[in-house]
Amino acid sequence: MIIRQFCARHGRTALSQSTRTVTRSYVNSRNVDDPTLRQSERDPRPPRTIPGHPDEPSSVLDTIDRPPTAATRSVEEKLEVQKKSMQSLHADVNSHIMARIQAFNEPAPLSTTEIKNKPAPLQAPESTDTLPFKNLKELNRYRRHTQKEARKGTNLTQTYDPATILRKPPMPSDLTLPMLLTNQTHLGHATPLWNPANSSYIFGIRDGIHIISLDVTYAYLLRAAKVVQEVARRGGIILFVGTRKGMEEITVNSAKLAGGYHIFHRWVPGSLTNGQQILGACGVKVVDIHDRDLDEYTQKFSQGNHTVMRPDLVVCLNPIENQVCLHECGLFNVPTIGVIDTDADPTWVTYPIPANDDSFRSIALVGGLLGQAGKEGQRLRRLQAMRGETTYSTGHLDDIFASLEEIASLDVQEPEQAGGRA
């Protein structure tokens, strides 16, 4: 405290002894940056003024023109550039509007000011060549570029297409275990749904489902194919039944290959037990050993004077939904072939095929292979027919034709006798 008072007194004494006049000044917006000025807390502060008031000295100084600085020049240049860009944009919009009006030949009313400010008309576009390439060199360059781009990437040569089985089913001699595995024939149902009669066909359990042994499927499928081939070779009637939704194409394709018949909508109950009432009015087609139509016998059989023929073999692709069909076949001792899954009873059919009946890939493989076996049997039958040999007995046909001729003669004589009696 003593040092402070001494410094203050010493400073006042030095000022009083100085010959220079002392001028007091206050800090304001003009001299705040002057390092020679020091503001004292005891000095009175200038009165507060309203910014922009005419009495304020700074307002008078602000009206003085000052030379432009670098900052003000950059701002003015930016404003000028924006102004020019807006003018050019307006000019482009006006030219576009005028071009559209001229293109549609729609004259628009223009005022005098718009006519004066109307931009110059657009120049006509230059004519371009319609050909994509100007010369042969560019065409060859484009072809080389296209070929080079086509060679890039990976080329897959061995790919699997599920529709291949429908277009070209495998032959029984081409069947392999990897083919059965690829087409999901080994997948059964969940373990709670299994039928104990299938215990000899089950290989094991994986993720809660039964796995069918592919060795058993392979052996039983080849046996069924051999049965279909022999029935077709002997001229028997083969009926393919697949009534599940999505099996239509598989059923029809298999029947066409084997030269048989097909049902893919619904099995009508009584088609075998009461076939005379259900199918008695259907047409009949009679052919010889060379599969040539015999019209004279076809007309006689088509009049309803024939016994309904039963199939010699029934191939059922979904036995669970066609138990009625299998029951009627059992009543008339018609042999059957069926795809037996782990939830079905193998005793329903004569020749079971342990396989997955829920997968269309599995059904397509089984049906296509049986169709190919039937096709081979038909080929062998026609080959023997060309040699003059028949693979089936024809002795009973003479008795049938004689009875038909007798019935036809009775139908002709009855009207004549009725007329004579009258």
Side-chain angles (χ1 to χ4, degrees):
M1 188 69 181
I2 297 173
I3 296 174
R4 180 178 179 184
Q5 291 178 356
F6 173 77
C7 293
R9 291 175 181 176
H10 178 73
R12 290 178 181 177
T13 304
L15 290 174
S16 61
Q17 294 177 359
S18 177
T19 57
R20 188 179 58 179
T21 58
V22 178
T23 57
R24 293 181 176 271
S25 177
Y26 299 97
V27 177
N28 51 23
S29 60
R30 297 291 190 276
N31 55 18
V32 68
D33 296 331
D34 191 353
T36 60
L37 299 178
R38 298 290 185 271
Q39 183 178 8
S40 176
E41 296 180 357
R42 293 178 297 178
D43 296 337
R45 296 182 179 180
R48 297 183 178 179
T49 58
I50 300 174
H53 195 271
D55 297 338
E56 184 182 4
S58 61
S59 62
V60 179
L61 297 176
D62 290 341
T63 58
I64 302 174
D65 295 336
R66 296 183 178 85
T69 60
T72 56
R73 282 196 299 269
S74 63
V75 172
E76 290 178 356
E77 291 176 358
K78 291 181 180 179
L79 292 176
E80 188 67 22
V81 171
Q82 292 181 359
K83 184 177 180 181
K84 291 182 179 179
S85 63
M86 291 297 295
Q87 291 178 355
S88 62
L89 180 61
H90 285 299
D92 294 340
V93 171
N94 293 334
S95 62
H96 179 69
I97 294 173
M98 295 303 301
R100 293 292 300 273
I101 293 174
Q102 293 177 2
F104 287 100
N105 295 325
E106 294 179 1
L110 299 176
S111 60
T112 55
T113 56
E114 292 177 349
I115 293 174
K116 291 180 180 179
N117 299 331
K118 180 179 178 181
L122 298 177
Q123 297 180 358
E126 298 180 357
S127 59
T128 58
D129 192 2
T130 57
L131 296 177
F133 306 102
K134 296 181 179 180
N135 48 37
L136 186 60
K137 184 177 180 180
E138 294 184 0
L139 176 61
N140 294 334
R141 186 184 299 110
Y142 174 76
R143 288 178 177 175
R144 288 193 297 270
H145 175 72
T146 306
Q147 295 174 359
K148 184 178 179 181
E149 293 294 331
R151 287 193 296 268
K152 293 182 179 179
T154 305
N155 297 325
L156 301 178
T157 56
Q158 297 181 357
T159 58
Y160 174 76
D161 185 9
T164 306
I165 302 178
L166 292 177
R167 293 192 302 265
K168 188 179 179 181
M171 295 293 294
S173 57
D174 300 333
L175 184 64
T176 58
L177 293 180
M179 188 181 299
L180 294 174
L181 181 66
T182 304
N183 291 276
Q184 303 175 355
T185 57
H186 63 289
L187 299 178
H189 280 274
T191 52
L193 303 177
W194 81 303
N195 193 317
N198 291 316
S199 58
S200 60
Y201 307 147
I202 295 176
F203 176 78
I205 300 175
R206 178 67 181 272
D207 294 338
I209 63 173
H210 281 115
I211 305 300
I212 302 173
S213 177
L214 293 181
D215 294 333
V216 178
T217 303
Y218 179 83
Y220 279 57
L221 184 55
L222 291 183
R223 183 184 67 171
K226 189 65 176 179
V227 171
V228 173
Q229 179 179 343
E230 288 299 319
V231 172
R233 190 183 68 85
R234 294 177 178 272
I237 299 175
I238 303 176
L239 177 63
F240 285 81
V241 180
T243 57
R244 188 173 297 173
K245 185 178 180 181
M247 290 185 179
E248 296 86 354
E249 188 176 0
I250 300 173
T251 307
V252 173
N253 183 64
S254 302
K256 285 183 178 180
L257 288 174
Y261 303 88
H262 55 80
I263 295 177
F264 55 82
H265 284 301
R266 174 178 173 268
W267 174 268
V268 180
S271 298
L272 297 182
T273 56
N274 195 21
Q276 198 67 32
Q277 296 294 330
I278 297 175
L279 304 174
C282 296
V284 178
K285 184 178 180 181
V286 182
V287 297
D288 57 2
I289 60 175
H290 301 284
D291 294 342
R292 291 178 297 199
D293 296 342
L294 300 176
D295 297 334
E296 61 275 11
Y297 296 104
T298 300
Q299 296 176 1
K300 294 178 181 180
F301 277 101
S302 299
Q303 295 175 0
N305 301 323
H306 67 282
T307 303
V308 175
M309 302 180 65
R310 302 185 183 93
D312 298 296
L313 178 65
V314 175
V315 179
C316 187
L317 301 178
N318 54 333
I320 295 180
E321 291 85 350
N322 294 284
Q323 297 184 24
V324 177
C325 170
L326 299 177
H327 177 70
E328 293 184 10
C329 291
L331 293 177
F332 291 94
N333 296 326
V334 177
T336 55
I337 297 175
V339 180
I340 301 299
D341 208 335
T342 56
D343 61 340
D345 190 354
T347 60
W348 292 346
V349 296
T350 310
Y351 302 99
I353 302 176
N356 183 9
D357 65 344
D358 297 320
S359 174
F360 291 152
R361 294 169 60 178
S362 175
I363 295 299
L365 175 63
V366 174
L369 189 137
L370 296 179
Q372 289 284 18
K375 183 179 179 180
E376 180 65 18
Q378 295 290 349
R379 186 187 68 84
L380 296 176
R381 181 186 61 81
R382 287 191 294 267
L383 185 61
Q384 291 185 3
M386 294 176 60
R387 301 172 184 171
E389 302 175 1
T390 58
T391 57
Y392 49 88
S393 60
T394 59
H396 65 285
L397 297 178
D398 297 335
D399 299 336
I400 296 176
F401 293 152
S403 62
L404 288 175
E405 292 177 358
E406 184 178 356
I407 293 173
S409 61
L410 291 176
D411 293 341
V412 174
Q413 291 176 2
E414 284 181 359
E416 295 178 356
Q417 294 177 359
R421 293 175 183 176

